[in-house]
Amino acid sequence: LYCTEKDRLPLPYYHEILICTSDTKLEELEIFWRRSIVIPDTLNLFLFCVIGIEDLQYDIAVKAVMKCKQIQQLANPGYRLVLVCSEEREESSYMAAVYEHLKISITHKVQSDDLRRFLKRKLSHFSQCSRYSCRHAWEVDREKYRARLVVSDSVGAGKSLYISNLKSDLLDQGIDTNKEIEQAVVTVSVHGKRASEEDIAAQLLRHEIRGREHGVMYHVDIASTVVLGLEPILFKLIILGGLCKRSGELWNCKGTDYYVIEMTLPLDTRFTNIYPQILCTQPYEAIDTGVMKSTQGIDLEELRKEKYTRVNEYLIRLESNTLDNFTFNPSAMDHIIDLKDNLRRFMRLCGVTRPSWSEIRNFVTFLDKQLLDCDNSDYCRPDAMTEEWIGFKKFVVKFMILMSRDFATPSLRGTAQQDSSADEADDGLSEFKMCERW
């Protein structure tokens, strides 16, 4: 409906949309009728919508229709009110049956791509960013959106790392005092099976700072267990710019703030494609598709850091059997680092068939600490590699790799993806046995 207005209207505000559920009260509907029907709108700026009228309880719907007819007697002549009902459940809706004579069919269905472009224009501050100071939190977004989803279809895909980099960028923008740092980033955690608007609004309101001028980054961290109630909450937060508690206390999104929402959703249930988002993929997906971008789960500059480089150089020497006379020296690196080749090597040796970014990071982090000790050991120095010590360093490094694999993977065979030995009898308990091999 808003797309058909040719960009004349801004995105709807919280007071313009009422999303109905089985818990919607008559009082909410009556207040909405009065707001949409009676209050004058001389500039035709508002388009009021009641969504999901089929979800209303029957007795509530009957009383709401009676209230609407009473209030219509006081109506201003130019009000615009739309009732939205799903076609599949239209016959079970009392309100849809009463207003059947006003029913219209959608003749022009907006395609997802058009809707996505429309929302990007409305959510972007890009054309206005030069007029604002750098203290606006959405400045850290590469396209200057006021909200962005960071999603993946599995855990450990690098979403947290991407958001951590955004937080670092924000803190680098002239934030000096500890109090400012504490107020610049707020994390809202969402747990359980169903997302609660009441709980999220309460957490946001607890961190409200009245009279502030600087922008705040709100990180909404949605656990992978949350599968219900997300769609209306995202719509209210991103599109309507507000959330409301049952008490009527309202959280209003400010134009200076930035909302980054971290969530894990299976591909077949993803309803978020219309919103600006970053899709984080696992390393094997990045390798298979040939896409190696910093937005795909890990900052590629991470792979250039010393710990990744040290581990990679040791693994290369292990494969070529040239470990005895090798000590890592980052300043002596004279060859170009092939990030894709390095990533393949980590995937092959970390002990997991299809590892996540977090499993690779855990493997590398643990192994790097061990190899650093190896470099500093008197027993593993190149000048200590006499004839009787040849092969000792290789033995040590192979043992360290085994330990690092155990550190990077779950402890039980049922959750780990390591290959079990072929001669092990399947007695029904193998998936509950420990994975340690050292």
Side-chain angles (χ1 to χ4, degrees):
L1 289 172
Y2 278 80
C3 281
T4 58
E5 290 284 341
K6 305 298 183 184
D7 278 358
R8 187 180 69 85
L9 294 178
L11 286 176
Y13 296 103
Y14 195 89
H15 69 274
E16 293 179 66
I17 307 291
L18 178 62
I19 301 177
C20 297
T21 67
S22 58
D23 297 325
T24 301
K25 299 177 181 178
L26 177 62
E27 181 185 12
E28 296 177 70
L29 287 159
E30 182 179 356
I31 292 173
F32 193 82
W33 296 148
R34 293 187 182 279
R35 183 189 305 139
S36 58
I37 297 175
V38 179
I39 298 177
D41 178 21
T42 55
L43 299 178
N44 284 333
L45 293 178
F46 299 119
L47 176 61
F48 294 91
C49 296
V50 181
I51 301 175
I53 58 175
E54 71 277 8
D55 291 323
L56 292 170
Q57 294 184 20
Y58 181 81
D59 58 331
I60 297 294
V62 172
K63 295 176 182 177
V65 169
M66 294 173 59
K67 284 288 184 183
C68 184
K69 290 180 178 179
Q70 292 173 9
I71 294 172
Q72 280 179 315
Q73 298 175 9
L74 308 172
N76 75 78
Y79 79 91
R80 298 191 296 172
L81 175 61
V82 179
L83 307 180
V84 181
C85 179
S86 68
E87 198 171 31
E88 295 82 1
R89 297 176 57 194
E90 180 183 353
E91 294 182 358
S92 64
S93 172
Y94 174 81
M95 194 172 292
V98 170
Y99 293 111
E100 173 73 21
H101 61 289
L102 299 176
K103 177 182 175 181
I104 60 171
S105 300
I106 300 177
T107 56
H108 173 65
K109 186 177 180 180
V110 179
Q111 300 299 318
S112 296
D113 289 341
D114 296 330
L115 186 56
R116 196 177 297 115
R117 284 191 291 268
F118 171 78
L119 285 179
K120 284 186 174 182
R121 288 195 303 272
K122 295 299 183 181
L123 293 173
S124 176
H125 291 285
F126 194 86
S127 61
Q128 310 168 30
C129 64
S130 60
R131 293 188 288 168
Y132 293 113
S133 70
C134 62
R135 296 302 302 275
H136 288 67
W138 46 258
E139 287 279 3
V140 299
D141 189 271
R142 60 181 185 175
E143 295 176 281
K144 312 304 179 191
Y145 294 131
R146 72 186 190 205
R148 184 180 288 277
L149 305 184
V150 181
V151 298
S152 70
D153 59 1
S154 57
V155 297
K159 300 185 296 295
S160 296
L161 176 62
Y162 179 84
I163 293 172
S164 177
N165 290 337
L166 287 178
K167 293 178 181 178
S168 298
D169 292 342
L170 179 64
L171 296 179
D172 288 341
Q173 294 186 351
I175 298 177
D176 302 321
T177 66
N178 291 333
K179 185 176 181 180
E180 285 182 321
I181 292 174
E182 185 179 338
Q183 295 175 351
V185 179
V186 172
T187 299
V188 176
S189 299
V190 184
H191 300 288
K193 189 173 182 180
R194 176 181 291 274
S196 166
E197 180 180 358
E198 174 86 7
D199 178 61
I200 297 174
Q203 291 189 62
L204 290 169
L205 287 165
R206 278 200 300 270
H207 292 93
E208 185 175 20
I209 305 171
R210 298 189 182 278
R212 62 176 170 85
E213 296 181 358
H214 62 276
V216 174
M217 176 188 292
Y218 291 97
H219 171 205
V220 182
D221 187 4
I222 301 175
S224 58
T225 56
V226 182
V227 294
L228 301 174
L230 286 174
E231 192 167 3
I233 289 177
L234 290 180
F235 179 79
K236 291 177 181 179
L237 189 61
I238 298 175
I239 305 298
L240 304 185
L243 294 175
C244 189
K245 295 176 64 177
R246 295 189 189 95
S247 62
E249 201 173 2
L250 179 65
W251 170 263
N252 269 318
C253 301
K254 294 180 174 60
T256 58
D257 296 337
Y258 179 50
Y259 292 82
V260 56
I261 301 162
E262 177 182 353
M263 58 196 308
T264 303
L265 284 177
L267 289 172
D268 57 349
T269 61
R270 188 165 295 156
F271 51 81
T272 59
N273 291 332
I274 62 171
Y275 302 119
Q277 64 178 271
I278 291 294
L279 176 61
C280 295
T281 58
Q282 298 290 5
Y284 55 85
E285 296 173 300
I287 291 291
D288 292 344
T289 59
V291 179
M292 294 285 287
K293 296 180 180 178
S294 61
T295 58
Q296 296 258 280
I298 192 170
D299 188 343
L300 293 188
E301 291 306 311
E302 284 281 310
L303 297 180
R304 301 183 190 275
K305 289 184 176 179
E306 184 174 319
K307 68 177 181 179
Y308 286 93
T309 307
R310 177 184 288 106
V311 170
N312 184 63
E313 291 300 314
Y314 262 93
L315 295 179
I316 290 174
R317 264 58 176 197
L318 179 64
E319 292 176 338
S320 61
N321 201 25
T322 57
L323 265 178
D324 288 334
N325 296 317
F326 172 72
T327 299
F328 179 73
N329 183 3
S331 61
M333 297 290 296
D334 57 354
H335 59 274
I336 299 175
I337 298 176
D338 187 337
L339 298 181
K340 189 176 291 189
D341 187 52
N342 293 3
L343 186 57
R344 287 196 182 98
R345 188 173 292 107
F346 296 147
M347 291 171 61
R348 185 170 67 251
L349 296 174
C350 74
V352 182
T353 306
R354 296 168 74 84
S356 66
W357 291 110
S358 60
E359 287 169 330
I360 289 178
R361 186 162 51 249
N362 291 339
F363 170 74
V364 170
T365 301
F366 188 90
L367 183 54
D368 171 68
K369 180 63 174 66
Q370 305 301 312
L371 294 177
L372 187 60
D373 290 341
C374 181
D375 281 339
N376 297 326
S377 171
D378 291 337
Y379 299 98
C380 295
R381 294 199 320 268
D383 57 358
M385 291 295 107
T386 58
E387 184 175 346
E388 59 269 21
W389 284 95
I390 291 178
F392 176 72
K393 190 171 185 177
K394 179 179 179 181
F395 164 77
V396 170
V397 171
K398 289 176 71 175
F399 185 79
M400 290 175 174
I401 292 174
L402 283 177
M403 289 193 296
S404 302
R405 286 177 177 175
D406 287 340
F407 180 78
T409 56
S411 298
L412 295 177
R413 293 191 188 279
T415 52
Q417 301 178 48
Q418 298 182 14
D419 298 327
S420 58
S421 56
D423 56 348
E424 183 178 358
D426 184 7
D427 56 3
L429 298 176
S430 59
E431 64 174 313
F432 302 107
K433 293 180 178 178
M434 303 300 286
C435 288
E436 283 78 0
R437 301 183 178 186
W438 50 278

